[in-house]
Amino acid sequence: MNKEKVIVSFSGGKDSTLSLYRMIKNGYKVIGLLVTFDNLNNSCFHKVPKEILKRICKELEIPLIEVDCSDDKVYEEEFEKALRNSKDNGAEICVFGDIDIESHKKWCLDRCDVANIKGEFPLWQENRERLTNEFIDYGFKAVIKKVNLKALGEEFLGKELTKDVVNEIKNLGCDPSGENGEYHTLVFDGPIFKQDVKFNKDGTEIDGKFGYLTIE
């Protein structure tokens, strides 16, 4: 029996990538990675340039679903529109990488309800640190792309996510998975990549309480 076709709400980070990997391993056909973009053609929230996400999708051999959330567009409405379009193209499930924050899950399920598509959470309520270690153990490689400066210093930007770095984060009193927003990653290599995705680290940028690694 064929399993359903799925799309993944994709940030380029470790949790959405681990969710993607689990769905692939469980035999689902992933027909798109849904990414929202801002006015500058960067991904919303983590500021990953569209060109890099296109390269990531190319190495994953999965189409990029671009969601334009620039200017005065209403984010929720654009997301719902993309879900409806994906459903029209055969998707029955949208996969999310959230671990255990109920308000995040509710937001995702509310969007799915409007679009009449199922929401799936492959990591839901599993141990946060174990999930981070599982991601690393599979051989995925990621850099820290964004930090909340109230939790972690700018010096973490651009570091590769290793178990030693996870321990450093833990020793600072932060959650090892960054599920509370302490840090966000960009995955550039791993078992489902044809080749690693190369990019240049340009520097860092501070925007309010957040620090970003700037890349091209």
PDB file of all heavy atoms in Angstrom, residues 81-111:
ATOM      1  N   LYS A  81      -2.663  29.319   1.886  1.00  0.00           N
ATOM      2  CA  LYS A  81      -2.762  29.245   0.423  1.00  0.00           C
ATOM      3  C   LYS A  81      -1.779  28.199  -0.117  1.00  0.00           C
ATOM      4  O   LYS A  81      -2.110  27.388  -0.989  1.00  0.00           O
ATOM      5  CB  LYS A  81      -2.448  30.629  -0.168  1.00  0.00           C
ATOM      6  CG  LYS A  81      -3.061  30.884  -1.540  1.00  0.00           C
ATOM      7  CD  LYS A  81      -2.592  32.213  -2.123  1.00  0.00           C
ATOM      8  CE  LYS A  81      -3.030  33.413  -1.301  1.00  0.00           C
ATOM      9  NZ  LYS A  81      -2.443  34.675  -1.833  1.00  0.00           N
ATOM     10  N   ALA A  82      -0.553  28.210   0.418  1.00  0.00           N
ATOM     11  CA  ALA A  82       0.463  27.246  -0.020  1.00  0.00           C
ATOM     12  C   ALA A  82       0.047  25.813   0.336  1.00  0.00           C
ATOM     13  O   ALA A  82       0.281  24.878  -0.440  1.00  0.00           O
ATOM     14  CB  ALA A  82       1.809  27.577   0.617  1.00  0.00           C
ATOM     15  N   LEU A  83      -0.567  25.656   1.503  1.00  0.00           N
ATOM     16  CA  LEU A  83      -1.048  24.318   1.893  1.00  0.00           C
ATOM     17  C   LEU A  83      -2.154  23.848   0.947  1.00  0.00           C
ATOM     18  O   LEU A  83      -2.165  22.690   0.530  1.00  0.00           O
ATOM     19  CB  LEU A  83      -1.569  24.340   3.337  1.00  0.00           C
ATOM     20  CG  LEU A  83      -0.543  24.504   4.457  1.00  0.00           C
ATOM     21  CD1 LEU A  83      -1.247  24.500   5.816  1.00  0.00           C
ATOM     22  CD2 LEU A  83       0.515  23.418   4.425  1.00  0.00           C
ATOM     23  N   ARG A  84      -3.055  24.761   0.604  1.00  0.00           N
ATOM     24  CA  ARG A  84      -4.148  24.380  -0.317  1.00  0.00           C
ATOM     25  C   ARG A  84      -3.598  24.005  -1.688  1.00  0.00           C
ATOM     26  O   ARG A  84      -4.026  23.018  -2.302  1.00  0.00           O
ATOM     27  CB  ARG A  84      -5.174  25.522  -0.431  1.00  0.00           C
ATOM     28  CG  ARG A  84      -6.158  25.566   0.721  1.00  0.00           C
ATOM     29  CD  ARG A  84      -7.367  26.429   0.391  1.00  0.00           C
ATOM     30  NE  ARG A  84      -6.983  27.832   0.251  1.00  0.00           N
ATOM     31  CZ  ARG A  84      -7.018  28.722   1.255  1.00  0.00           C
ATOM     32  NH1 ARG A  84      -7.447  28.362   2.452  1.00  0.00           N
ATOM     33  NH2 ARG A  84      -6.663  29.962   1.058  1.00  0.00           N
ATOM     34  N   ASN A  85      -2.634  24.793  -2.177  1.00  0.00           N
ATOM     35  CA  ASN A  85      -2.020  24.481  -3.474  1.00  0.00           C
ATOM     36  C   ASN A  85      -1.323  23.126  -3.439  1.00  0.00           C
ATOM     37  O   ASN A  85      -1.391  22.345  -4.394  1.00  0.00           O
ATOM     38  CB  ASN A  85      -0.994  25.560  -3.861  1.00  0.00           C
ATOM     39  CG  ASN A  85      -1.651  26.872  -4.235  1.00  0.00           C
ATOM     40  OD1 ASN A  85      -2.846  26.900  -4.528  1.00  0.00           O
ATOM     41  ND2 ASN A  85      -0.895  27.942  -4.223  1.00  0.00           N
ATOM     42  N   SER A  86      -0.646  22.847  -2.324  1.00  0.00           N
ATOM     43  CA  SER A  86       0.052  21.564  -2.183  1.00  0.00           C
ATOM     44  C   SER A  86      -0.943  20.410  -2.163  1.00  0.00           C
ATOM     45  O   SER A  86      -0.694  19.351  -2.739  1.00  0.00           O
ATOM     46  CB  SER A  86       0.896  21.559  -0.908  1.00  0.00           C
ATOM     47  OG  SER A  86       1.887  22.556  -0.973  1.00  0.00           O
ATOM     48  N   LYS A  87      -2.062  20.634  -1.505  1.00  0.00           N
ATOM     49  CA  LYS A  87      -3.112  19.599  -1.471  1.00  0.00           C
ATOM     50  C   LYS A  87      -3.638  19.353  -2.883  1.00  0.00           C
ATOM     51  O   LYS A  87      -3.830  18.203  -3.287  1.00  0.00           O
ATOM     52  CB  LYS A  87      -4.238  20.026  -0.517  1.00  0.00           C
ATOM     53  CG  LYS A  87      -5.285  18.927  -0.304  1.00  0.00           C
ATOM     54  CD  LYS A  87      -6.263  19.334   0.750  1.00  0.00           C
ATOM     55  CE  LYS A  87      -7.491  18.432   0.759  1.00  0.00           C
ATOM     56  NZ  LYS A  87      -7.210  17.056   1.141  1.00  0.00           N
ATOM     57  N   ASP A  88      -3.831  20.426  -3.638  1.00  0.00           N
ATOM     58  CA  ASP A  88      -4.275  20.285  -5.039  1.00  0.00           C
ATOM     59  C   ASP A  88      -3.258  19.493  -5.859  1.00  0.00           C
ATOM     60  O   ASP A  88      -3.611  18.836  -6.838  1.00  0.00           O
ATOM     61  CB  ASP A  88      -4.485  21.669  -5.684  1.00  0.00           C
ATOM     62  CG  ASP A  88      -5.687  22.394  -5.103  1.00  0.00           C
ATOM     63  OD1 ASP A  88      -6.527  21.732  -4.451  1.00  0.00           O
ATOM     64  OD2 ASP A  88      -5.778  23.624  -5.284  1.00  0.00           O
ATOM     65  N   ASN A  89      -1.980  19.569  -5.450  1.00  0.00           N
ATOM     66  CA  ASN A  89      -0.918  18.845  -6.160  1.00  0.00           C
ATOM     67  C   ASN A  89      -0.670  17.445  -5.602  1.00  0.00           C
ATOM     68  O   ASN A  89       0.316  16.804  -5.960  1.00  0.00           O
ATOM     69  CB  ASN A  89       0.393  19.647  -6.111  1.00  0.00           C
ATOM     70  CG  ASN A  89       0.313  20.888  -6.988  1.00  0.00           C
ATOM     71  OD1 ASN A  89      -0.341  20.887  -8.023  1.00  0.00           O
ATOM     72  ND2 ASN A  89       0.974  21.961  -6.565  1.00  0.00           N
ATOM     73  N   GLY A  90      -1.551  17.010  -4.701  1.00  0.00           N
ATOM     74  CA  GLY A  90      -1.477  15.625  -4.238  1.00  0.00           C
ATOM     75  C   GLY A  90      -1.023  15.411  -2.815  1.00  0.00           C
ATOM     76  O   GLY A  90      -1.044  14.280  -2.311  1.00  0.00           O
ATOM     77  N   ALA A  91      -0.594  16.483  -2.119  1.00  0.00           N
ATOM     78  CA  ALA A  91      -0.127  16.308  -0.730  1.00  0.00           C
ATOM     79  C   ALA A  91      -1.322  16.047   0.188  1.00  0.00           C
ATOM     80  O   ALA A  91      -2.365  16.689   0.072  1.00  0.00           O
ATOM     81  CB  ALA A  91       0.631  17.539  -0.268  1.00  0.00           C
ATOM     82  N   GLU A  92      -1.147  15.085   1.082  1.00  0.00           N
ATOM     83  CA  GLU A  92      -2.199  14.791   2.057  1.00  0.00           C
ATOM     84  C   GLU A  92      -1.790  15.168   3.477  1.00  0.00           C
ATOM     85  O   GLU A  92      -2.632  15.254   4.363  1.00  0.00           O
ATOM     86  CB  GLU A  92      -2.549  13.303   1.999  1.00  0.00           C
ATOM     87  CG  GLU A  92      -3.166  12.889   0.663  1.00  0.00           C
ATOM     88  CD  GLU A  92      -3.160  11.382   0.478  1.00  0.00           C
ATOM     89  OE1 GLU A  92      -4.075  10.739   1.023  1.00  0.00           O
ATOM     90  OE2 GLU A  92      -2.255  10.866  -0.189  1.00  0.00           O
ATOM     91  N   ILE A  93      -0.485  15.364   3.687  1.00  0.00           N
ATOM     92  CA  ILE A  93       0.033  15.649   5.031  1.00  0.00           C
ATOM     93  C   ILE A  93       1.040  16.794   4.938  1.00  0.00           C
ATOM     94  O   ILE A  93       1.836  16.842   3.995  1.00  0.00           O
ATOM     95  CB  ILE A  93       0.747  14.416   5.625  1.00  0.00           C
ATOM     96  CG1 ILE A  93      -0.221  13.240   5.804  1.00  0.00           C
ATOM     97  CG2 ILE A  93       1.424  14.737   6.957  1.00  0.00           C
ATOM     98  CD1 ILE A  93       0.480  11.932   6.182  1.00  0.00           C
ATOM     99  N   CYS A  94       1.003  17.692   5.921  1.00  0.00           N
ATOM    100  CA  CYS A  94       2.094  18.657   6.098  1.00  0.00           C
ATOM    101  C   CYS A  94       2.820  18.310   7.387  1.00  0.00           C
ATOM    102  O   CYS A  94       2.191  18.151   8.444  1.00  0.00           O
ATOM    103  CB  CYS A  94       1.580  20.090   6.153  1.00  0.00           C
ATOM    104  SG  CYS A  94       2.943  21.295   6.279  1.00  0.00           S
ATOM    105  N   VAL A  95       4.124  18.178   7.302  1.00  0.00           N
ATOM    106  CA  VAL A  95       4.962  17.743   8.421  1.00  0.00           C
ATOM    107  C   VAL A  95       5.631  18.961   9.062  1.00  0.00           C
ATOM    108  O   VAL A  95       6.133  19.841   8.362  1.00  0.00           O
ATOM    109  CB  VAL A  95       6.040  16.753   7.911  1.00  0.00           C
ATOM    110  CG1 VAL A  95       7.046  16.424   9.005  1.00  0.00           C
ATOM    111  CG2 VAL A  95       5.382  15.494   7.377  1.00  0.00           C
ATOM    112  N   PHE A  96       5.644  18.977  10.388  1.00  0.00           N
ATOM    113  CA  PHE A  96       6.254  20.074  11.150  1.00  0.00           C
ATOM    114  C   PHE A  96       7.300  19.505  12.111  1.00  0.00           C
ATOM    115  O   PHE A  96       7.156  18.391  12.601  1.00  0.00           O
ATOM    116  CB  PHE A  96       5.192  20.832  11.947  1.00  0.00           C
ATOM    117  CG  PHE A  96       4.124  21.464  11.105  1.00  0.00           C
ATOM    118  CD1 PHE A  96       2.963  20.764  10.776  1.00  0.00           C
ATOM    119  CD2 PHE A  96       4.266  22.759  10.622  1.00  0.00           C
ATOM    120  CE1 PHE A  96       1.967  21.346  10.003  1.00  0.00           C
ATOM    121  CE2 PHE A  96       3.277  23.350   9.843  1.00  0.00           C
ATOM    122  CZ  PHE A  96       2.132  22.641   9.527  1.00  0.00           C
ATOM    123  N   GLY A  97       8.329  20.315  12.418  1.00  0.00           N
ATOM    124  CA  GLY A  97       9.420  19.860  13.265  1.00  0.00           C
ATOM    125  C   GLY A  97       9.306  20.248  14.726  1.00  0.00           C
ATOM    126  O   GLY A  97      10.274  20.087  15.483  1.00  0.00           O
ATOM    127  N   ASP A  98       8.128  20.733  15.142  1.00  0.00           N
ATOM    128  CA  ASP A  98       7.974  21.152  16.544  1.00  0.00           C
ATOM    129  C   ASP A  98       8.102  19.953  17.482  1.00  0.00           C
ATOM    130  O   ASP A  98       7.696  18.838  17.138  1.00  0.00           O
ATOM    131  CB  ASP A  98       6.605  21.810  16.737  1.00  0.00           C
ATOM    132  CG  ASP A  98       6.467  23.054  15.870  1.00  0.00           C
ATOM    133  OD1 ASP A  98       6.883  24.123  16.316  1.00  0.00           O
ATOM    134  OD2 ASP A  98       5.980  22.928  14.736  1.00  0.00           O
ATOM    135  N   ILE A  99       8.631  20.210  18.673  1.00  0.00           N
ATOM    136  CA  ILE A  99       8.862  19.119  19.621  1.00  0.00           C
ATOM    137  C   ILE A  99       7.792  19.089  20.721  1.00  0.00           C
ATOM    138  O   ILE A  99       7.185  18.044  20.966  1.00  0.00           O
ATOM    139  CB  ILE A  99      10.268  19.211  20.252  1.00  0.00           C
ATOM    140  CG1 ILE A  99      11.338  19.113  19.149  1.00  0.00           C
ATOM    141  CG2 ILE A  99      10.476  18.102  21.289  1.00  0.00           C
ATOM    142  CD1 ILE A  99      12.764  19.337  19.632  1.00  0.00           C
ATOM    143  N   ASP A 100       7.561  20.208  21.389  1.00  0.00           N
ATOM    144  CA  ASP A 100       6.615  20.094  22.521  1.00  0.00           C
ATOM    145  C   ASP A 100       5.949  21.402  22.944  1.00  0.00           C
ATOM    146  O   ASP A 100       5.361  21.465  24.020  1.00  0.00           O
ATOM    147  CB  ASP A 100       7.307  19.454  23.730  1.00  0.00           C
ATOM    148  CG  ASP A 100       8.550  20.210  24.171  1.00  0.00           C
ATOM    149  OD1 ASP A 100       8.674  21.395  23.821  1.00  0.00           O
ATOM    150  OD2 ASP A 100       9.398  19.612  24.852  1.00  0.00           O
ATOM    151  N   ILE A 101       6.034  22.456  22.141  1.00  0.00           N
ATOM    152  CA  ILE A 101       5.378  23.704  22.546  1.00  0.00           C
ATOM    153  C   ILE A 101       3.963  23.726  21.957  1.00  0.00           C
ATOM    154  O   ILE A 101       3.778  23.795  20.741  1.00  0.00           O
ATOM    155  CB  ILE A 101       6.210  24.934  22.110  1.00  0.00           C
ATOM    156  CG1 ILE A 101       7.570  24.908  22.835  1.00  0.00           C
ATOM    157  CG2 ILE A 101       5.460  26.230  22.403  1.00  0.00           C
ATOM    158  CD1 ILE A 101       8.529  26.008  22.452  1.00  0.00           C
ATOM    159  N   GLU A 102       2.987  23.631  22.861  1.00  0.00           N
ATOM    160  CA  GLU A 102       1.583  23.438  22.445  1.00  0.00           C
ATOM    161  C   GLU A 102       1.078  24.573  21.548  1.00  0.00           C
ATOM    162  O   GLU A 102       0.348  24.333  20.595  1.00  0.00           O
ATOM    163  CB  GLU A 102       0.666  23.314  23.678  1.00  0.00           C
ATOM    164  CG  GLU A 102       0.827  22.012  24.447  1.00  0.00           C
ATOM    165  CD  GLU A 102       0.243  20.792  23.732  1.00  0.00           C
ATOM    166  OE1 GLU A 102      -0.463  20.963  22.724  1.00  0.00           O
ATOM    167  OE2 GLU A 102       0.522  19.675  24.195  1.00  0.00           O
ATOM    168  N   SER A 103       1.485  25.828  21.860  1.00  0.00           N
ATOM    169  CA  SER A 103       0.972  26.961  21.069  1.00  0.00           C
ATOM    170  C   SER A 103       1.477  26.897  19.628  1.00  0.00           C
ATOM    171  O   SER A 103       0.760  27.272  18.690  1.00  0.00           O
ATOM    172  CB  SER A 103       1.367  28.296  21.712  1.00  0.00           C
ATOM    173  OG  SER A 103       2.783  28.400  21.806  1.00  0.00           O
ATOM    174  N   HIS A 104       2.706  26.395  19.438  1.00  0.00           N
ATOM    175  CA  HIS A 104       3.242  26.243  18.082  1.00  0.00           C
ATOM    176  C   HIS A 104       2.453  25.176  17.331  1.00  0.00           C
ATOM    177  O   HIS A 104       2.104  25.338  16.158  1.00  0.00           O
ATOM    178  CB  HIS A 104       4.721  25.842  18.125  1.00  0.00           C
ATOM    179  CG  HIS A 104       5.607  26.925  18.646  1.00  0.00           C
ATOM    180  ND1 HIS A 104       6.983  26.810  18.710  1.00  0.00           N
ATOM    181  CD2 HIS A 104       5.329  28.160  19.137  1.00  0.00           C
ATOM    182  CE1 HIS A 104       7.505  27.908  19.208  1.00  0.00           C
ATOM    183  NE2 HIS A 104       6.519  28.738  19.479  1.00  0.00           N
ATOM    184  N   LYS A 105       2.185  24.070  18.018  1.00  0.00           N
ATOM    185  CA  LYS A 105       1.428  22.978  17.381  1.00  0.00           C
ATOM    186  C   LYS A 105       0.028  23.455  16.983  1.00  0.00           C
ATOM    187  O   LYS A 105      -0.458  23.156  15.886  1.00  0.00           O
ATOM    188  CB  LYS A 105       1.327  21.781  18.330  1.00  0.00           C
ATOM    189  CG  LYS A 105       0.662  20.569  17.691  1.00  0.00           C
ATOM    190  CD  LYS A 105       0.614  19.376  18.646  1.00  0.00           C
ATOM    191  CE  LYS A 105       0.086  18.144  17.928  1.00  0.00           C
ATOM    192  NZ  LYS A 105      -0.018  16.980  18.840  1.00  0.00           N
ATOM    193  N   LYS A 106      -0.593  24.211  17.888  1.00  0.00           N
ATOM    194  CA  LYS A 106      -1.951  24.711  17.601  1.00  0.00           C
ATOM    195  C   LYS A 106      -1.940  25.605  16.359  1.00  0.00           C
ATOM    196  O   LYS A 106      -2.816  25.496  15.491  1.00  0.00           O
ATOM    197  CB  LYS A 106      -2.492  25.473  18.807  1.00  0.00           C
ATOM    198  CG  LYS A 106      -3.926  25.977  18.578  1.00  0.00           C
ATOM    199  CD  LYS A 106      -4.444  26.789  19.746  1.00  0.00           C
ATOM    200  CE  LYS A 106      -5.906  27.178  19.550  1.00  0.00           C
ATOM    201  NZ  LYS A 106      -6.188  27.847  18.259  1.00  0.00           N
ATOM    202  N   TRP A 107      -0.934  26.497  16.264  1.00  0.00           N
ATOM    203  CA  TRP A 107      -0.842  27.377  15.088  1.00  0.00           C
ATOM    204  C   TRP A 107      -0.769  26.535  13.813  1.00  0.00           C
ATOM    205  O   TRP A 107      -1.469  26.798  12.833  1.00  0.00           O
ATOM    206  CB  TRP A 107       0.389  28.283  15.209  1.00  0.00           C
ATOM    207  CG  TRP A 107       0.488  29.313  14.120  1.00  0.00           C
ATOM    208  CD1 TRP A 107       0.041  30.594  14.168  1.00  0.00           C
ATOM    209  CD2 TRP A 107       1.052  29.152  12.805  1.00  0.00           C
ATOM    210  NE1 TRP A 107       0.283  31.248  12.982  1.00  0.00           N
ATOM    211  CE2 TRP A 107       0.901  30.380  12.124  1.00  0.00           C
ATOM    212  CE3 TRP A 107       1.652  28.085  12.133  1.00  0.00           C
ATOM    213  CZ2 TRP A 107       1.341  30.577  10.808  1.00  0.00           C
ATOM    214  CZ3 TRP A 107       2.092  28.272  10.830  1.00  0.00           C
ATOM    215  CH2 TRP A 107       1.938  29.497  10.178  1.00  0.00           C
ATOM    216  N   CYS A 108       0.067  25.520  13.827  1.00  0.00           N
ATOM    217  CA  CYS A 108       0.245  24.665  12.645  1.00  0.00           C
ATOM    218  C   CYS A 108      -1.058  23.933  12.300  1.00  0.00           C
ATOM    219  O   CYS A 108      -1.461  23.891  11.130  1.00  0.00           O
ATOM    220  CB  CYS A 108       1.353  23.636  12.887  1.00  0.00           C
ATOM    221  SG  CYS A 108       2.965  24.364  13.248  1.00  0.00           S
ATOM    222  N   LEU A 109      -1.704  23.364  13.308  1.00  0.00           N
ATOM    223  CA  LEU A 109      -2.933  22.605  13.056  1.00  0.00           C
ATOM    224  C   LEU A 109      -4.071  23.517  12.595  1.00  0.00           C
ATOM    225  O   LEU A 109      -4.899  23.113  11.772  1.00  0.00           O
ATOM    226  CB  LEU A 109      -3.344  21.819  14.305  1.00  0.00           C
ATOM    227  CG  LEU A 109      -2.438  20.630  14.643  1.00  0.00           C
ATOM    228  CD1 LEU A 109      -2.853  19.989  15.962  1.00  0.00           C
ATOM    229  CD2 LEU A 109      -2.450  19.589  13.515  1.00  0.00           C
ATOM    230  N   ASP A 110      -4.097  24.743  13.105  1.00  0.00           N
ATOM    231  CA  ASP A 110      -5.120  25.700  12.650  1.00  0.00           C
ATOM    232  C   ASP A 110      -4.956  25.992  11.157  1.00  0.00           C
ATOM    233  O   ASP A 110      -5.936  26.069  10.407  1.00  0.00           O
ATOM    234  CB  ASP A 110      -5.028  27.010  13.434  1.00  0.00           C
ATOM    235  CG  ASP A 110      -5.567  26.877  14.859  1.00  0.00           C
ATOM    236  OD1 ASP A 110      -6.190  25.841  15.170  1.00  0.00           O
ATOM    237  OD2 ASP A 110      -5.338  27.807  15.671  1.00  0.00           O
ATOM    238  N   ARG A 111      -3.711  26.150  10.707  1.00  0.00           N
ATOM    239  CA  ARG A 111      -3.456  26.378   9.274  1.00  0.00           C
ATOM    240  C   ARG A 111      -3.891  25.151   8.460  1.00  0.00           C
ATOM    241  O   ARG A 111      -4.500  25.270   7.403  1.00  0.00           O
ATOM    242  CB  ARG A 111      -1.967  26.648   9.009  1.00  0.00           C
ATOM    243  CG  ARG A 111      -1.306  27.738   9.828  1.00  0.00           C
ATOM    244  CD  ARG A 111      -1.705  29.143   9.446  1.00  0.00           C
ATOM    245  NE  ARG A 111      -2.996  29.586   9.896  1.00  0.00           N
ATOM    246  CZ  ARG A 111      -3.315  29.930  11.148  1.00  0.00           C
ATOM    247  NH1 ARG A 111      -2.434  29.852  12.116  1.00  0.00           N
ATOM    248  NH2 ARG A 111      -4.520  30.370  11.430  1.00  0.00           N
TER     249      ARG A 111
END
